[in-house]
Amino acid sequence: MRYRALIIDVSAKSWELREYRLDEVLGPIDFGIKLHLEDVESWKRSPYDPSNALVLGAGVFAGSKLFGCHRVAVVFRSLETMGLHVSTMGGVAYKFIGCGVHAIAIVGRAHKPTIVFIRGSEKGVESVNFVNIEPHHLESIYAGYGGRKGAYALEKWLIDTFWDYISETHARPIVVGPAAWRTIFGALVSVDVDLTRRDLVEGSEEFAARGGPGSVLAQVHNVAAIVAGGTWRPQLPTTLLNMSELSKYVSDALGKDYSSAVTEATTKYRYDPHYGAGGTFGVNYPHYRELLPLFNFNSIYLRKEIRKRIADLIIEHYWKPFKEEVFEKSKVWRTCGEPCPAACKKVWRGKKVDYEPFEGVGPLIGVMKLDKSVKVVDEIDQLGFDAIEIGHVIAWLLESVYRGLLEPEDIGISERPILDPLLLNVDLWSRNAELALELVRGLVNKRTEVLKLVAELGIRRAAKILDDRYVARVSALGLRFEDLAIYLPFGSHGYMTPNFYWTPGFLVPIPITGRYWTNYSTTFMEPEEYAKTVFVRALKEYELDNAGFCRFHRGWAEKILAKLYECLGVSIDIDEHAKEMYRKIVEYNVKADAKPRFLESERAKDVIVTLATELGASEWESKFSKNRDDALKEWWSRFAKAFAELLGIDPSYAEL
């Protein structure tokens, strides 16, 4: 078996098939790293250069009967971090694999907005076609089509316009929305297609969003959609294709029944009887409670008693209505598009509800009413934004107004936000949802000069420009714009915001953050010990993504991944392989001026410092109280040194 990849040059409208031995390329991330670092050397040029290949691919187990193995990984140079980044979307490979290859790479820049069609037959790739769409036509579709707008409207239009092609190939379109063309926060969006109803499957929408891959596809390559499918199937051993053989093979490898192992590993995401709910939203809120990040992470400064009272309000007004509707009444659960017993997509009144999108425009900005936040999340999704990044942007801008760094008219909102956590008033706080909706629409339309800056440059660069533009306000308040934002800086201009957890794991010096390639538990420990835990998770998560496995299946898949590769005739130390590829990501980012740098933001620093106090790390609490910055630099630099030793690289990969 070989890993098959298709290089598509959208400027020349040409394509080239490449095949790699599995000891060369084990999966889509390997392929993406090899292409960027060795072939196109995209680090030499601007991330807006057409050499910034967007790689989208499945793992080598796609097409098998294994549960959870049809995730697609996307590799690209991010317009946010300025370095190599990886994002993923679930279930898409289940239909994508039929196009005749495991992965595609988009290079070049189309002369007009383009839709790329890839058809596979039993022999492999049969055809690649390019269909132009006029900008005004694309805008009219985004404005509204088939009862939807944005990315959802574009996918519905593709289904209706190219129905014969989609029905024959079983293709699942991957599209971008308006956010991808107008901001650097654009996601790739793919909603599963119901071939019987000729419509989108409500609740089975997926987003490859972190780092802005949609913005790369749109702004760098001028591509609006990829429609790939067909009848090709990889040549896999019968052990992976016959369910009874597979069950025996996996059961023997695990030492327990396959079905039981999968059920046990995915309990949180399907249904956890301890909470009477499931999915990330259903479990995270009752699990984390007073450790939840609230009011743009200002909760880290609150006494535990206050945080507990706010958590009680969240449970009563935000979580319970979800639990009652989804687990006691309607019980609408979906998958990402592949057969999977986890059914992790929990649908509330027609909308898929996950923790992070609903946290970002929920409790993070004080909104604790599901009917309020669902409108904002739906707008974010249809416009095609990265929901985590846009959650940070909204919280940062709202607090900037709340603190007096900005006026409401500077960002086009109708009134001042209510962000006082001591009010303990759900009705008052929930008014922020309408302001968030105004901001989402304002960002995609660049309604004000401030919003234009943020949309085009991101939080870090915009904050520094705003420091100069509003120097009098900054001076009077003794507060910089970046001090209200939470991000890890990369190089001169890049950055990445963390996922919504109170943890050091997204703010330590690692080459790829904003994803779960870290230890994101609420913990604080000696930097050397913490580096070991982050290192292990980074490699394991790399291995899962590179194999195309959903991390919700990590509880069983990680244990036998090497054994599964043996089915394909590959005998490899996958930890060492992941370590080598991770080193290459570091190498790329160093060349691209995207080294992780010490924290610039006061709020970001305090995320780590306050956690030491919260968890009773008395020695570090004492150090931080005497000289916070010096002590934090010590902790951070010791982490970097330990991480470098584990990886076998020079500690200069990170900058103080």
Side-chain angles (χ1 to χ4, degrees):
M1 182 180 182
R2 288 176 175 257
Y3 195 82
R4 294 165 59 90
L6 195 66
I7 314 294
I8 302 172
D9 187 334
V10 293
S11 55
K13 294 187 177 181
S14 63
W15 51 281
E16 171 196 350
L17 180 66
R18 295 185 186 178
E19 293 189 350
Y20 300 91
R21 299 189 315 272
L22 293 188
D23 60 354
E24 293 179 288
V25 170
L26 203 56
I29 308 178
D30 290 3
F31 170 57
I33 294 169
K34 179 178 176 59
L35 190 68
H36 275 275
L37 184 62
E38 300 171 9
D39 297 350
V40 299
E41 297 183 323
S42 56
W43 47 270
K44 288 183 175 179
R45 292 168 286 276
S46 161
Y48 287 92
D49 188 272
S51 64
N52 182 3
L54 184 121
V55 171
L56 188 151
V60 290
F61 301 105
S64 77
K65 297 290 186 181
L66 284 161
F67 294 128
C69 71
H70 289 93
R71 202 160 184 84
V72 156
V74 187
V75 186
F76 56 100
R77 187 177 178 194
S78 170
L79 306 180
E80 294 175 48
T81 70
M82 302 297 172
L84 210 58
H85 202 74
V86 179
S87 193
T88 60
M89 58 200 322
V92 175
Y94 189 68
K95 294 177 178 176
F96 172 87
I97 196 66
C99 77
V101 288
H102 294 95
I104 63 171
I106 303 292
V107 297
R109 178 175 174 80
H111 302 297
K112 290 183 178 181
T114 295
I115 303 160
V116 180
F117 291 85
I118 310 162
R119 180 193 287 265
S121 67
E122 287 78 4
K123 295 180 180 179
V125 178
E126 183 177 282
S127 63
V128 179
N129 293 305
F130 307 86
V131 175
N132 297 140
I133 180 169
E134 293 295 333
H136 70 273
H137 188 195
L138 183 59
E139 286 300 321
S140 71
I141 294 168
Y142 282 151
Y145 178 88
R148 298 171 173 88
K149 63 182 177 182
Y152 290 31
L154 178 57
E155 185 168 349
K156 175 59 176 168
W157 177 82
L158 286 168
I159 292 169
D160 290 348
T161 307
F162 301 97
W163 173 247
D164 288 346
Y165 180 93
I166 287 172
S167 62
E168 289 169 11
T169 62
H170 288 204
R172 174 177 176 168
I174 299 166
V175 305
V176 299
W181 301 95
R182 303 171 195 164
T183 80
I184 62 172
F185 316 130
L188 297 177
V189 184
S190 183
V191 187
D192 200 12
V193 179
D194 186 326
L195 294 173
T196 302
R197 294 173 50 246
R198 296 179 60 157
D199 204 353
L200 308 180
V201 179
E202 196 173 74
S204 284
E205 54 263 44
E206 282 291 318
F207 303 83
R210 298 260 60 197
S215 297
V216 172
L217 188 64
Q219 295 181 44
V220 177
H221 302 296
N222 211 13
V223 171
I226 298 167
V227 188
T231 56
W232 183 73
R233 291 295 176 266
Q235 292 183 335
L236 295 169
T238 56
T239 303
L240 298 178
L241 298 174
N242 181 286
M243 198 61 197
S244 60
E245 285 189 37
L246 176 63
S247 294
K248 184 179 186 309
Y249 185 83
V250 175
S251 297
D252 289 346
L254 287 170
K256 67 189 305 183
D257 177 68
Y258 179 34
S259 296
S260 299
V262 172
T263 300
E264 182 181 309
T266 58
T267 294
K268 170 183 175 178
Y269 307 104
R270 186 184 64 263
Y271 178 79
D272 189 336
H274 178 71
Y275 299 112
T280 54
F281 186 101
V283 172
N284 279 10
Y285 282 108
H287 175 75
Y288 286 101
R289 296 187 69 93
E290 69 270 14
L291 297 173
L292 291 162
L294 314 170
F295 299 95
N296 196 26
F297 279 79
N298 276 287
S299 50
I300 63 177
Y301 305 116
L302 297 175
R303 298 194 319 274
K304 185 177 288 188
E305 309 87 77
I306 298 296
R307 286 187 274 119
K308 284 183 175 180
R309 290 179 67 183
I310 298 173
D312 288 342
L313 292 173
I314 292 171
I315 295 299
E316 184 64 31
H317 296 278
Y318 206 51
W319 180 78
K320 278 188 177 178
F322 167 80
K323 176 179 178 288
E324 290 168 1
E325 184 85 20
V326 177
F327 295 93
E328 297 171 14
K329 295 179 182 178
S330 64
K331 295 185 179 179
V332 179
W333 305 357
R334 303 259 190 249
T335 73
C336 57
E338 66 172 292
C340 176
C344 64
K345 311 300 179 188
K346 313 306 182 188
V347 183
W348 185 83
R349 299 181 186 177
K351 185 65 184 174
K352 180 191 71 163
V353 177
D354 285 321
Y355 166 69
E356 285 180 300
F358 279 80
E359 169 66 14
V361 292
L364 192 73
I365 59 170
V367 177
M368 298 170 195
K369 289 188 175 181
L370 206 54
D371 60 336
K372 299 287 187 182
S373 61
V374 73
K375 295 176 183 177
V376 190
V377 172
D378 195 48
E379 190 79 6
I380 288 168
D381 288 350
Q382 293 201 62
L383 291 174
F385 275 110
D386 170 1
I388 295 176
E389 179 65 23
I390 206 67
H392 275 283
V393 169
I394 290 167
W396 171 60
L397 289 173
L398 289 181
E399 188 176 356
S400 294
V401 173
Y402 179 72
R403 299 286 180 191
L405 284 171
L406 292 172
E407 292 298 322
E409 56 267 27
D410 293 330
I411 57 172
I413 58 175
S414 54
E415 61 179 320
R416 290 188 177 277
I418 299 170
L419 290 172
D420 183 354
L422 300 181
L423 288 174
L424 299 174
N425 189 315
V426 171
D427 290 329
L428 283 177
W429 289 333
S430 291
R431 286 160 57 182
N432 295 332
E434 186 57 40
L435 304 183
L437 198 57
E438 292 171 2
L439 272 178
V440 171
R441 292 167 178 165
L443 278 162
V444 83
N445 293 314
K446 303 180 185 180
R447 191 166 292 153
T448 71
E449 282 300 310
V450 172
L451 295 184
K452 184 175 186 292
L453 267 179
V454 176
E456 294 178 355
L457 301 179
I459 291 174
R460 185 186 179 199
R461 290 173 70 186
K464 295 179 186 304
I465 292 171
L466 293 174
D467 285 342
D468 292 335
R469 181 172 296 180
Y470 297 106
V471 63
R473 297 178 189 174
V474 169
S475 178
L477 293 168
L479 184 67
R480 302 173 305 167
F481 279 88
E482 59 264 41
D483 290 333
L484 301 180
I486 304 102
Y487 60 83
L488 177 67
F490 286 98
S492 305
H493 301 298
Y495 78 99
M496 178 52 63
T497 51
N499 299 36
F500 299 128
Y501 297 87
W502 189 3
T503 175
F506 299 108
L507 298 171
V508 289
I510 51 179
I512 290 183
T513 189
R515 303 201 61 238
Y516 294 108
W517 291 18
T518 186
N519 174 0
Y520 64 98
S521 60
T522 303
T523 187
F524 185 89
M525 59 183 78
E526 289 299 312
E528 292 78 12
E529 291 304 307
Y530 193 56
K532 291 177 185 176
T533 68
V534 170
F535 177 73
V536 169
R537 285 318 311 160
L539 296 192
K540 291 300 181 185
E541 297 286 347
Y542 180 100
E543 292 162 12
L544 285 172
D545 283 347
N546 198 42
F549 271 101
C550 169
R551 68 183 307 274
F552 292 178
H553 287 267
R554 64 190 181 277
W556 67 268
E558 282 181 6
K559 297 173 183 175
I560 62 165
L561 193 53
K563 189 76 174 172
L564 292 174
Y565 278 119
E566 287 178 12
C567 274
L568 305 177
V570 179
S571 181
I572 189 171
D573 185 328
I574 56 173
D575 288 343
E576 282 301 316
H577 176 79
K579 185 176 176 180
E580 175 59 28
M581 299 311 296
Y582 198 85
R583 276 196 291 260
K584 290 186 176 182
I585 294 174
V586 173
E587 179 187 347
Y588 181 97
N589 287 357
V590 168
K591 290 180 175 181
D593 183 27
K595 292 182 181 182
R597 287 189 177 182
F598 184 65
L599 305 175
E600 302 170 342
S601 154
E602 297 300 302
R603 183 71 49 80
K605 294 173 184 176
D606 285 341
V607 166
I608 299 175
V609 170
T610 56
L611 191 59
T613 301
E614 174 75 14
L615 300 178
S618 55
E619 181 181 340
W620 282 100
E621 184 181 1
S622 175
K623 285 185 176 183
F624 290 141
S625 66
K626 291 174 183 174
N627 190 319
R628 185 201 63 173
D629 281 9
D630 283 353
L632 188 56
K633 282 180 180 178
E634 178 195 339
W635 189 89
W636 202 85
S637 61
R638 281 171 55 186
F639 176 100
K641 182 180 179 183
F643 194 77
E645 288 176 357
L646 290 164
L647 195 54
I649 60 173
D650 193 282
S652 64
Y653 82 95
E655 296 178 331
L656 269 178

